Amino acid sequence: MYSLVVTSMHPNAGKTSIIIGLAKALNKKIGYIKPFGDRLLYRRETVDYDAALMNGIFSLGEDPAEMSIGFDHSRLLYIFDKDTITQKIRNLQESGGKDNEYCLSKAGKTSHTGSPSISMPYLSRRH
């Protein structure tokens, strides 16, 4: 399985559009994860809009709520230590890549630091 991370320092830069275009161009079986959700969509449970969108477009068969660790970045960094976050992101990546040729991941700027998402170092490696 190959992992591909799309990230930007700017919100609304087109990361989701690029991922959708890449997924269609690859024409392979894909998984998708967004470790730190930032676009809440309220259904029976709170899910990330982009995860629900990817699931809908590509019929991934995954629960969008399982494609992210959570939403409040500052809270997540306070609750979990670095090792726990690393393990949670790896678990997400493994589930997103299970039986898929590619696992596409979206990461962005964290709301509290202004730096690239802490998920980057853990996502940008090939299995």
Side-chain angles (χ1 to χ4, degrees), residues 10-11 18 20 33-34 64 76 83 91 102 116:
H10 304 285
I18 287 174
I20 291 169
I33 63 171
K34 185 176 178 184
L76 292 171
D83 293 336
N91 291 345
Y102 289 87

Side-chain angles (χ1 to χ4, degrees), residues 75-90:
R75 182 172 175 254
L76 292 171
L77 292 170
Y78 178 76
I79 292 172
F80 302 121
D81 63 10
K82 182 179 176 181
D83 293 336
T84 304
I85 289 175
T86 301
Q87 189 57 49
K88 286 185 172 292
I89 291 172
R90 286 192 178 137

